[in-house]
Amino acid sequence: MSSNQQTPYLQEPFRIAVDTGGTFTDVVLADRVGTIALGKALTTPQRAFEGIGAGLSRLAEEHHLTLAEALAGADTFIYGTTRSTNAVVEKTTATTALFTTAGLPDVLVLKEGGKPHPFRQMHYPDPYIPRRLTWEIDERIDVDGSVFRPLQESSVRHAIQQARQAGCQAIAVCLIWSVVNPAHELAIERLIREEWPEVAYTLSHQVNPVVREYRRASSAALDASLKPLMQEHLTTLAHDLTEKGFGGHLLVASSYGGTWPVQDMVQRPIYSIGSGPSLAPVAARSYAQAEAVSAASAALGSGGSADAWTTASDLLVCDTGGTTFDVGIVSAGHIAYTGETWLGGRWIGAITGTRAVDVTSIGSGGGSIVWLDSGGLLRVGPRSAGSEPGPASYGRGGTQPTITDACVVLGYLDPDSFLGGRMKLDEAAARDAFAAHIAPALNMMVEQAAWAALVVAVEDLVGAVRTKTVSQGLDPRDMLIVAGGGASGLTIGRIAEELGTPRVLIPRVAGALSACGGIHSDIVCEFSVPGFAHTDDFNHEIVNGWLWDARSQGQQFLDSLKNLPIESSDLTFSVETRYRLQAWELEVPLTTTDFSTPGAVEELQRAFDVVHDRMFSVSEPGQRLECLVWKCRATARLPKPSIDAGPRPDTAEPARTRPAFFASHRHDDVAHHDGTTLPLGAQVKGPAVVREPTTTIVVYPGQSLTVTTSGNYLLQTGK
Amino acid sequence: MTTTTSSPTSTSASTPVDAPGPQTPSVIDPVLMAVLSSRLDTIVREMENTLLRAGRSAILALARDFSCAIVTADNRLLSSAEGLPVHVIGTEFITEAMTRLHPDLREGDAYLHNDPYDGNTHAADHTILVPVFVAGRHVFTVAAKAHQADAGNSRPTTFMPFVKDVYEEGSLIFTAVKAQSQGKDVDDVIRMCRSRIRVPEQWYGDYLAMVGSARTGERRLHELCERYGVDVVQRFVEEYFDYSERRMAHVISELPAGRFSGSGTHDGFSVVPDGIPINVTINIDSDQGVVDLDLRDNIDCIDLGLNESRTCSINNVMTGFLNSISPDVPHNAGSFRRVRVHLRENCVVGVPRFPHSCSVATTNVGERLVVTTQRVMADALEGYGQAEGACGIGPAFAVISGVQDEEAYINQVFMGSQGGPAGPEHDGWLTYGNAVTNGLMFRDSVEIDEQKFPMRVQEIRISTDSEGSGRRRGAPGSRVVYGPRSGEMEALYISDGAQFPPRGTRGGGSGRAASAAVIGTDGISRPMETIGAVVLSAGELLVHELSGGGGYGPAHLREPERVRHDVEEGYISVERAEEVYAVIVHRDPTGQVQLDLDATARRRA
């Protein structure tokens, strides 16, 4: 990122974090005193380490190290990957059998119903496991755990034999009410071990003990189908790292927004789905907290008070890659979770069914095509020019105007310095595309049409962000946006303005936000014990027993981490609960795990009323609660690097100027700054453009951009 | 849309029609129009989300039987995002009742409405209306509508087929009754509902969810008007209607012109043993870009709860038409100017004459209206319309009730899948549910149902060979078996498709007929009436074989690879592949199915 003579020496022990996407692998090398270095390499799906090694070698060299020295000096290596996500979406996972309760074989076919649009005809999606690889097991357990029909072992042996003959490589087992009484699933496990010991399998009550058979079956199916692949993938990576000199701990990013020791992920690979993107909110939280700390100490030094923005506790995390716009939320320091992660489309794809960091892709990137519908209304996307032929300005035969082309026409992207000058953009082609397809029909100039396209694209994202935040009971106007990803800086100022969000924090590591999240992550795991109780007739002893069970599982997990450099650890508890007869649950944190304490039940009711009111604008105090799942979250904190300003010049270098368009105004001399040349505290007034090696930030008229005391960027919309 | 309720030949009553075309001078620039239309949809989605997540009863929150909409102060439907077709179209008739009956509307008011004789769908759909004021002026009305688990009927169900009139139906009827004043409940009304609706906390929970949803919409519309100015927003509304009308005119102008009629029949029972016939006439005027949907040639209201309300007559025939054209046209008062519905008074699919009951207006006859309309389009025009989909709310969608641990329970369950109709390019949607919801509704989780009610679900299985065959096939039906785990459980249901199974179009086959049975504790299965009520004791099981959807085009034109896949997945048998589709396949020992292309070519020659 900067020239060699300036790059500092890193101090051992290092921490290495990697995020392998479908195309690029982000590599981060950091030490504990605050030096952080970013690198990029092409992803090598066949053998992950080839790409990682290439990226890491270059990074090490820039910091006066060899690859072997970097690996040997690292105490932890955090690995986030889209490998499992892509395998599921591309259907390259193992051929997997599904064993279900007799009479209910179509759980994965019928899912939970729902269709994205009432009037659009669509092909009904194939189930994740085909019907021909589904076998019914003769057994049935009831809601209270009693055995209605005993397990017929012969039906299990028959199913195993048939699955083997059909060429299956894994077995997913999901029986009705196994979460209340796992005896039958455990008996099947015993029979699988007897009959076919080498096959991979997953029991639903172990991988994801939730009520709702479709979700649990889908969890088991995804997990079993990933086991052969991810076991191979992770074992090979561990082997390659060891061979090149790494002697520390290999941690794999999980969908919980933390990490797991590699041996845990090998056991439950479904938790590696979405693991890369789930670290973006982790990084966002760390950077926002660091800004708060440095602002507070600066305020202390000057005798003033810390600026209010740093204490905004709710974060809206926007991570814009080449093709998607992902959104996550951090509320009061807690990363938002969801039980609804769908691969391949909501309702029509496969749900993971597990709790995961709520990172949703709500829109497409710069390749979205701009068009006019039959009523003459301007539309953007969802069709995308992709990378082939790509936007018109790529000069690869694309003729349809895209958002990237709009940014070229408007003068935000300098055709000569796109991707650090590696790719020259064709400004004339971008203009031609708008002139041919959009501008005349709207009776607009080309620049006006490009601006209009940007406005519409921003509006689509704003609508989706608003829907998302409000469904969590949060108002985007009270939040701080943290923006990451290479493409976010172009539009985030407009998005913030339309949302009414006054401030955007753009970490200088924005281009590799998820990988940086790895550097700042903890080891996190959740344990659930289903147990139905209602507050009118609360059996303290039974509930305490469920919580004790959850606690022991959490403690056992923490105990298994003894060899790691853990700084501190804790267990926190929550319950999924709802009003009587209500359909969906809300998670409420528990302040006690002993319900024999006087007032404990009343405290739970009060806490639920508050959460319900925040989420849905109504509550019903006094209505009894139905509690469904008791949970323990185990967190083991790892030592983290401080976030440091890094090397910065004392004075700014003069900026180049180019013309640019905002709304219907042409500005002749819009400053284009090289971000790395701006000193701490520098303020850039809009309109301006600030280029960082991994992103370009547009400061719109009326907005301002400040280099913070920690060396990041704070964009203020002036609203 | 324009609706007429007078004598025939009334189609010229509406405003003059412009030639379709993309250029019309605008005051609001197209960018602002795109922004504001998207923002309105966002507001409706936010309302829906509130209702879905806060809803209490299973039917609302699990099956998603609810909708939200924004209507202008002068009662024109403006935005409904992707709501249930049967709920949304016609929201303007409900708000019209409110503005007519309450000339003194005030900010902070909320109204409860469920009157099927004054704009509502049927009595079980409670709607909360909130007039939205900006600077003291009524600008919009937001509506949140949800099917209730109970509506106070004389029997424990929200669907009453065997009633002579609304009195026998017994539902509490509210005609735009004030439920909140200055944002606070009017306790009189709440008390009435709580004392007369079964499981009152469940009703009150859903009422709160509806109020929360409507107030959310109100807040967001305030913000929208603050941000852009109420004058700009109102100007936008007019131009958005014009824009939507242009889109619809354009779509209609591309349809072949003509006048087409056809009919369908709901299964017969009691006073209508031969079934309820439904006739639909569609006139497409491509030159003018206008469509007329005429339902006047139908029988009078019947002494049963199956009459359509005016709103259901309109929205169901509209749904059948909208199923037959591009899905991208905005659905609002603007685009509906181009679709004129003609009804007559005292007609089973028209305007009901009080006190004829409309208890079941949203399903059965309503569903038949949808599928008949789309099939008329398909029969007339190759490449348009759809076959008939499965209809009715049989035992797999029954309203179940009883007593568990000394507490009463009542709710509608959604367990089965019945077959969606085939279209010109797509096979039927498997979890179609029914025609009025078009696949949008969710399906219950067996575990959640068993946790909430003392029931045990023994079987839910897709039925082999139940699809309507075709070049594009209907979706197969399924078999659902359940009963009480303990105590007695009453199940009320109204199947359709036993006597008149869903028909295919353009040479496509019919779906399998529906049937119902009870398996006694002796293990013997006895056939049941397809419309009725049954009280089950522990150990007894209710069986519902749900029908498949109709097919589109001849089965022997279906691509052999699709047939092979259907056999491999067990949707059709090897025998049916040969006999109906003329495709020869073999199952190998691993369970995979191989296509014999040569034998197929000979068979199809």
Side-chain angles (χ1 to χ4, degrees), chain A residues 377-444:
Chain A
L377 198 62
L378 184 66
R379 311 276 283 266
V380 178
R383 277 193 315 131
S384 169
S387 51
E388 286 299 330
S393 56
Y394 281 15
R396 292 184 194 150
T399 54
Q400 301 292 315
T402 67
I403 289 303
T404 300
D405 296 319
C407 290
V408 174
V409 169
L410 294 167
Y412 307 162
L413 285 175
D414 183 347
D416 299 320
S417 62
F418 187 62
L419 290 178
R422 276 173 290 163
M423 183 171 161
K424 175 126 173 69
L425 296 175
D426 186 344
E427 190 175 348
R431 297 184 63 86
D432 289 349
F434 275 94
H437 298 280
I438 308 295
L442 296 179
N443 197 20
M444 284 178 169

Side-chain angles (χ1 to χ4, degrees), chain A residues 170-520:
Chain A
I171 300 173
V173 183
C174 179
L175 305 180
I176 292 286
W177 291 119
S178 63
V179 283
V180 179
N181 178 357
H184 290 177
E185 284 194 0
L186 291 169
I188 291 173
E189 175 178 50
R190 178 173 54 75
L191 292 166
I192 291 172
R193 285 183 171 172
E194 266 176 46
E195 298 270 329
W196 192 6
E198 65 276 19
V199 75
Y201 64 88
T202 297
L203 307 182
S204 75
H205 81 275
Q206 289 178 348
V207 72
N208 186 27
V210 295
V211 179
R212 287 191 171 94
E213 68 281 2
Y214 165 64
R215 295 178 177 212
R216 204 167 67 248
S218 190
S219 302
L222 291 171
D223 191 65
S225 76
L226 284 167
K227 270 182 177 160
L229 173 90
M230 290 306 286
Q231 283 170 355
E232 158 87 28
H233 180 77
L234 293 173
T235 314
T236 305
L237 176 65
H239 172 264
D240 289 349
L241 286 173
T242 311
E243 198 163 66
K244 299 293 179 198
F246 177 64
H249 301 281
L250 173 59
L251 299 170
V252 182
S254 82
S255 48
Y256 283 131
T259 60
W260 283 6
V262 65
Q263 60 273 19
D264 287 279
M265 193 59 81
V266 164
Q267 294 299 313
R268 290 192 284 170
I270 190 175
Y271 288 92
S272 67
I273 287 176
S275 65
S278 74
L279 289 175
V282 175
R285 181 173 60 181
S286 297
Y287 278 87
Q289 281 171 352
E291 290 296 338
V293 169
S294 58
S297 57
L300 206 64
S302 68
S305 63
D307 189 346
W309 74 270
T310 56
T311 54
S313 47
D314 298 330
L315 310 179
L316 178 64
V317 186
C318 299
D319 195 6
T320 320
T323 51
T324 60
F325 186 96
D326 293 342
V327 171
I329 286 169
V330 181
S331 177
H334 300 289
I335 293 170
Y337 285 76
T338 177
E340 298 228 11
T341 304
W342 292 86
L343 301 181
R346 189 176 184 199
W347 304 327
I348 53 175
I351 198 170
T352 64
T354 55
R355 286 243 310 159
V357 172
D358 189 359
V359 175
T360 321
S361 180
I362 59 166
S364 43
S368 304
I369 288 175
V370 183
W371 55 289
L372 293 170
D373 70 25
S374 68
L377 198 62
L378 184 66
R379 311 276 283 266
V380 178
R383 277 193 315 131
S384 169
S387 51
E388 286 299 330
S393 56
Y394 281 15
R396 292 184 194 150
T399 54
Q400 301 292 315
T402 67
I403 289 303
T404 300
D405 296 319
C407 290
V408 174
V409 169
L410 294 167
Y412 307 162
L413 285 175
D414 183 347
D416 299 320
S417 62
F418 187 62
L419 290 178
R422 276 173 290 163
M423 183 171 161
K424 175 126 173 69
L425 296 175
D426 186 344
E427 190 175 348
R431 297 184 63 86
D432 289 349
F434 275 94
H437 298 280
I438 308 295
L442 296 179
N443 197 20
M444 284 178 169
M445 315 261 295
V446 166
E447 291 83 3
Q448 287 174 310
W451 175 260
L454 206 65
V455 170
V456 172
V458 163
E459 183 56 32
D460 288 347
L461 293 171
V462 162
V465 168
R466 206 184 291 265
T467 303
K468 175 116 194 109
T469 51
V470 168
S471 73
Q472 313 266 339
L474 297 171
D475 187 332
R477 289 171 297 197
D478 303 332
M479 300 174 83
L480 169 69
I481 293 177
V482 183
S488 65
L490 290 171
T491 51
I492 199 70
R494 285 280 310 154
I495 291 170
E497 206 161 309
E498 284 305 314
L499 282 170
T501 308
R503 296 170 189 88
V504 182
L505 176 65
I506 305 164
R508 69 176 187 283
V509 297
L513 196 64
S514 290
C516 288
I519 296 288
H520 293 275

